[in-house]
Amino acid sequence: MVWIFSLKLSSLKFSSLKFSSLKFAVISLMSVIGLILFSHPAITEVRTPSNYQIAMESSFNQPDYYPTEQKVTEEFYQPVGDWIGRLILPTTADLEKFGSDGSDWVWIEIYHAPGEFQSLLGQVVRLTWAQGPDIQTLVEKVTTDIKFTPIAQGAVLKGNILPTRLNLASQVGPLRSLAGARPEDDMIVRLDSVTLGNPSPDHPPALEIIHEPIQVTGRFAGLFQILNPISNPQAPVPPACPGNQPCPSDFFRVRGFNSKSGAFDRPEQMVRIPQQVASQGGLFYSTPREIEASPAGTQGWYLYGAKNQAGIFTAQAISPRRLIQLQPETVILGAEAGVNYITTENWQDTEQRKGTIQNILVDPNARNSEEAIAHWQAGDRALVIHSFGGTGGENGDKVIAGTVTGHFAYGIAEVVRDRLTQELQFQVTYQQVYANNPNGITSGHHTWASFLGNMQRGWLGTRPVSDVVIKWEPFTENYDLGTRVDSPLTELINYLQVMTARYRTGDGSGVALVTPTTSCVQDSNQGLYMAIEGVKARIAGDPEIQRWLAEHPDHPQTLRFQELLSLEQDLEAFLAPRGIIRPDWKENSEYLAGTTNREEFLREQNLKDPILSANVIFPRNAYDEISQIFLNHGARLWFLRTNQVGGNDPSIFPMAPTRALGR
């Protein structure tokens, strides 16, 4: 089945609701029926191997397959970040020796660092949080003791990856829950906004951060034209792959991109794009078979990875360059045409589009295509709404009543100048509210390559994906209303960091599973509600801001803020269609804001709660409707679509997600 991941709650209660609207009663009934589809299957007493365990049997999925010290040619490869490293969970002895202050910290093995910190390469140092009341408060809110419940123990038997090394651990903060999310220390991350703390006799040098580490795949990225597979006498062909046997070689002849000529004219070299083994259910999460002929690769492929022990660059993730270029294949002008694209054309003929990508720009106000494209400039930040559909075929999803539920997430896209091509591109990261699963996908902050392009557990090759990049300054830009106010986009990301950390610990239970009351789409939009309330409370509670607004009624910042209030009214009406905010959303928002006497997150929920947020039960419905709300307020939308992209698996086909029950 297609999963919607959510937090397993300690208890559920049901109370009846009386609805005045027959229409809403029908919608609510459909929602409750739909929730049955999302319920987690019964837990078995026989232990099932996880897909993660199966994948880790392949050497190229293990960290020690790639030497710590790497020498690459900068003309071909660039590091995926200024700070890259591997998280290592501290032992009990480590915590006793270095963790007496109770802080949340882990070890990190440094793979890449800026020039002035080159001496740290290959070293293992502490990673912890910078001091500051806001940061420490958020860390404290999500720090918890972990004790596996019987449901958690059963989920392990079912083949889900849980933080087993953290069972019975006390005071687990967001860094430890990230490092300990999987059985092995194989979490590779990028660090932003890093400072070097002052060492002391009791504490070795430590890197201090203010944002959650971003999960990445690979240490370096190269842009290549993939020419053809070639035999490698030192490596046999893969023993199993989709399609006809025998399998083709997974070593390829490639030609690198030359930024000076703008062409793939650098000397040829050999790389490996490994054929992953099949999952427990028989599905290959990726394959390099026929990737050289893929229509998605007309502008080349980004390969993310590192050199192996033999010095051969081995891809761990892939990404089609054409998808993220600011060069739309189609520009749609006008709000009405934009709505039609969202509701009809975006997912139309998904199965027939297998192997292709679409890059579509929608602008409700531009007079022509050139004007629409010109609005996007280097440094722009935008909201991302992410959704994927299902996998059809013999080893694909089990579809019930024609319903493909799919998945939902929020993220950020930044317009950046690529180091390899010097062209403007989208750099997409997600805040994935994601529960325990057999693949080892970890709830948290992911790069596009980590969540989608990862060849071991990413979805690029098996599911159709739609990301809409939404640029609307009242939501994405900060405010200067006599004093600085963070944008709702920044607030949203901050709140989702809290939500993803809660998922990693299961609020202390050790497990996050599907329940009728919470899910990827419901809890992502709980974060959206919290962001809206956070900005409103910040402004309403500051007399200086209120005075500034009154004194500057026609100032551009004031007018922009008024536009934001109008959007927020429409978003709240969508998130709470009955005019009643879910109690758990409201109380958790107040807990984070410190405006309640509650001492922890509200975990007890009622079966009426999803009915109060019925519009955000099905991921595609939330995706479509929220996109339209932004569009109707004048936002510019850029759609990035993939349809089982990469190598060719003839046994599967992409399925569009459904907005409700049935196709």
Side-chain angles (χ1 to χ4, degrees), residues 68-69 84 108-112 117-125:
T68 300
E69 294 186 12
I84 302 294
I108 182 169
E109 183 180 37
I110 303 300
Y111 289 155
H112 190 78
F117 298 104
Q118 290 296 296
S119 61
L120 294 178
L121 293 180
Q123 291 194 34
V124 176
V125 300

Side-chain angles (χ1 to χ4, degrees), residues 21 26 71 117 130 147 161 228 309 328 347 383 428 474 629:
S21 167
V26 172
K71 293 183 179 180
F117 298 104
K147 181 179 181 180
I161 298 300
N228 57 271
Q309 300 286 353
W347 293 104
L383 172 70
V428 175
I629 290 173

Side-chain angles (χ1 to χ4, degrees), residues 224-363:
F224 297 97
Q225 180 185 42
I226 300 175
L227 301 176
N228 57 271
I230 55 177
S231 61
N232 183 353
Q234 299 177 347
V237 298
C241 62
N244 296 329
Q245 306 297 309
C247 299
S249 170
D250 58 6
F251 290 83
F252 288 83
R253 186 169 62 94
V254 299
R255 191 178 290 121
F257 182 82
N258 186 338
S259 60
K260 295 180 180 179
S261 66
F264 293 92
D265 57 12
R266 292 196 180 279
E268 293 179 5
Q269 60 178 288
M270 181 175 68
V271 301
R272 188 182 187 188
I273 308 176
Q275 172 61 63
Q276 295 287 331
V277 298
S279 69
Q280 177 70 18
L283 178 68
F284 291 93
Y285 277 88
S286 67
T287 179
R289 185 172 199 141
E290 301 175 10
I291 190 173
E292 71 277 7
S294 170
T298 57
Q299 298 297 315
W301 293 91
Y302 285 96
L303 304 183
Y304 302 84
K307 288 188 175 182
N308 63 13
Q309 300 286 353
I312 298 173
F313 188 84
T314 304
Q316 297 166 283
I318 61 173
S319 170
R321 174 191 176 201
R322 180 70 188 89
L323 180 70
I324 55 176
Q325 291 178 308
L326 268 67
Q327 299 174 17
E329 64 184 69
T330 303
V331 177
I332 298 173
L333 302 177
E336 183 176 350
V339 169
N340 181 62
Y341 178 80
I342 293 170
T343 58
T344 304
E345 297 177 12
N346 187 24
W347 293 104
Q348 195 171 48
D349 300 325
T350 295
E351 183 174 341
Q352 290 71 35
R353 293 180 181 180
K354 178 179 177 177
T356 67
I357 62 177
Q358 288 80 49
N359 183 310
I360 309 295
L361 174 58
V362 174
D363 195 310

